[in-house]
Amino acid sequence: MDEVGEVRERPIRVRWAGSCHRCSVFVPTRSMAWWDHKTKVLTCLSCVPDPSVPASPVATLAASSAVEALVEAAGAATDPSALADGTVPASVPVPVPAPEADGGGPGPLTDAERGTAGASARAERLRRSTKREERLRAKHPRIGGLLLAVSDDPTSTKVWDQGAVGEERVGARLDEARPRIEVLHDRRIPRSRANLDHLVVAPTGIWVVDTKRYLDRRIETRVVGRRRERQLHLFVGGRDRTGLVIAMHKQVAQVRDALIGSDHEHLAVRGALCFIGATVGFFARPFEIDGIVVTWPKHLIAPMLEVDPGREGADLSEVDRTRVARHLADAFRPA
């Protein structure tokens, strides 16, 4: 590494993930690599092996296969002689394979990859509460602490806590169904401030689950409109909440768009509104409005497991579910 300055005598275990400045290969957190403190560049062990550790035949074979794959991917536009010294053109992306299990399929997702249900709602509640405290203390330096002690956060702040509780309960319910399903929690929608509460990969396909917590509010459907324009609307606590169904369709469309061009493009994507704390009849059953399932935790899992043999792409295996979940985890990062 003489071209990038001095380095440590031995590689270090990196604290942050990054890409090798020579071959652009992804270097995950806690793995061994060279780090130049002066130029702030990272170099993987394939480019500059650790002289104190004998070369592993398996690692050498893997590195050779990676270089061959790069030459093939580059095609005629890339000069193979440029790879003779082990370097890789920066314009050629290096695929990073997912961890493989002993059986040859992708390894199971970690808890960090699955995400934490309600995490972003909790963070937003804390942000608003902290901002209110700072504002009060700045405006009333002497009695700011007293005002905070005798007052509570406004409803606009507390609703984030209520939403987080709902997401956590639904998330726990979904986690109990693993490994029959794979689930991702609290995912950020690219180029948007919104998020997806839960993404579920089940034998029946992909489900987008949006959690709504309406305490002691009755869920019902009503027919709205004139005779020729009648439509089925969703009412919660006597108020028309059909907008939730429309928003759910947008989330489903965004997940479908994330599958375009992948091997999972043919999979069915469905949406479900899961209500927490709402009032339903003793014999009430989930229902659909414009293709969106309206349900509650007790009946949330069952339709995800009811495979229709006549539907293409139904009955996904556990290995397939993991592959799809990894693709969605890359498209929708934790919020």
Side-chain angles (χ1 to χ4, degrees):
M1 291 186 61
D2 51 347
E3 76 273 19
V4 295
E6 298 179 1
V7 297
R8 293 174 177 264
E9 295 181 357
R10 290 180 55 83
I12 64 170
R13 195 174 297 278
V14 295
R15 299 170 61 183
W16 294 278
S19 300
C20 175
H21 84 288
R22 287 189 173 185
C23 66
S24 300
V25 70
F26 178 73
V27 180
T29 307
R30 304 291 299 168
S31 61
M32 300 300 293
W34 296 94
W35 173 250
D36 190 326
H37 287 267
K38 291 185 177 181
T39 58
K40 308 297 182 183
V41 296
L42 187 69
T43 309
C44 69
L45 295 184
S46 298
C47 294
V48 181
D50 184 357
S52 64
V53 178
S56 169
V58 176
T60 304
L61 179 60
S64 301
S65 300
V67 172
E68 292 174 2
L70 288 169
V71 175
E72 183 178 354
T78 304
D79 182 9
S81 62
L83 304 176
D85 61 349
T87 60
V88 179
S91 60
V92 183
V94 179
V96 182
E100 297 293 322
D102 294 338
L109 273 70
T110 64
D111 291 340
E113 290 174 312
R114 293 189 179 99
T116 304
S120 60
R122 292 283 186 196
E124 180 62 19
R125 197 256 195 252
L126 179 61
R127 185 190 70 81
R128 289 170 176 252
S129 182
T130 302
K131 188 175 181 179
R132 172 178 175 267
E133 179 180 351
E134 293 174 350
R135 186 169 58 249
L136 273 177
R137 291 187 182 277
K139 188 176 182 179
H140 307 283
R142 294 185 178 181
I143 61 172
L146 177 62
L147 293 176
L148 290 170
V150 299
S151 63
D152 200 358
D153 286 329
T155 303
S156 59
T157 297
K158 291 189 290 186
V159 293
W160 289 96
D161 242 357
Q162 297 175 8
V165 171
E167 291 182 35
E168 289 165 355
R169 291 181 182 177
V170 173
R173 185 83 175 185
L174 292 170
D175 287 337
E176 290 174 358
R178 298 196 332 252
R180 293 179 295 169
I181 64 173
E182 190 55 83
V183 58
L184 304 173
H185 301 295
D186 204 2
R187 317 307 290 193
R188 183 173 62 249
I189 298 176
R191 299 174 297 280
S192 171
R193 298 182 63 183
N195 72 307
L196 305 173
D197 290 348
H198 313 279
L199 273 175
V200 180
V201 184
T204 54
I206 301 170
W207 289 74
V208 186
V209 181
D210 196 12
T211 304
K212 298 299 178 185
R213 193 177 184 214
Y214 290 93
L215 299 178
D216 300 324
R217 306 285 180 86
R218 184 174 182 81
I219 304 174
E220 57 184 339
T221 58
R222 297 181 188 178
V223 177
V224 178
R226 298 179 179 180
R227 179 175 299 179
R228 294 184 179 181
E229 300 176 354
R230 289 186 174 182
Q231 294 180 338
L232 195 63
H233 281 214
L234 173 66
F235 278 74
V236 182
R239 299 182 63 180
D240 193 336
R241 296 292 186 181
T242 311
L244 299 177
V245 177
I246 298 174
M248 190 77 256
H249 275 295
K250 293 180 180 179
Q251 294 187 16
V252 170
Q254 287 164 330
V255 174
R256 285 200 181 106
D257 290 344
L259 299 175
I260 294 177
S262 71
D263 296 336
H264 321 301
E265 189 174 0
H266 65 287
L267 295 179
V269 183
R270 302 189 64 187
L273 288 168
C274 186
F275 285 88
I276 296 288
T279 302
V280 294
F282 185 77
F283 296 102
R285 303 289 298 176
F287 53 90
E288 289 191 19
I289 294 183
D290 196 18
I292 301 299
V293 177
V294 179
T295 185
W296 37 98
K298 180 180 178 181
H299 299 286
L300 178 61
I301 306 298
M304 298 178 178
L305 304 177
E306 295 174 355
V307 177
D308 181 5
R311 178 177 294 178
E312 182 183 359
D315 200 11
L316 290 177
S317 66
E318 184 174 351
V319 172
D320 289 334
R321 293 197 296 270
T322 302
R323 288 196 177 103
V324 175
R326 287 196 179 279
H327 178 84
L328 293 175
D330 290 336
F332 302 95
R333 309 303 296 178

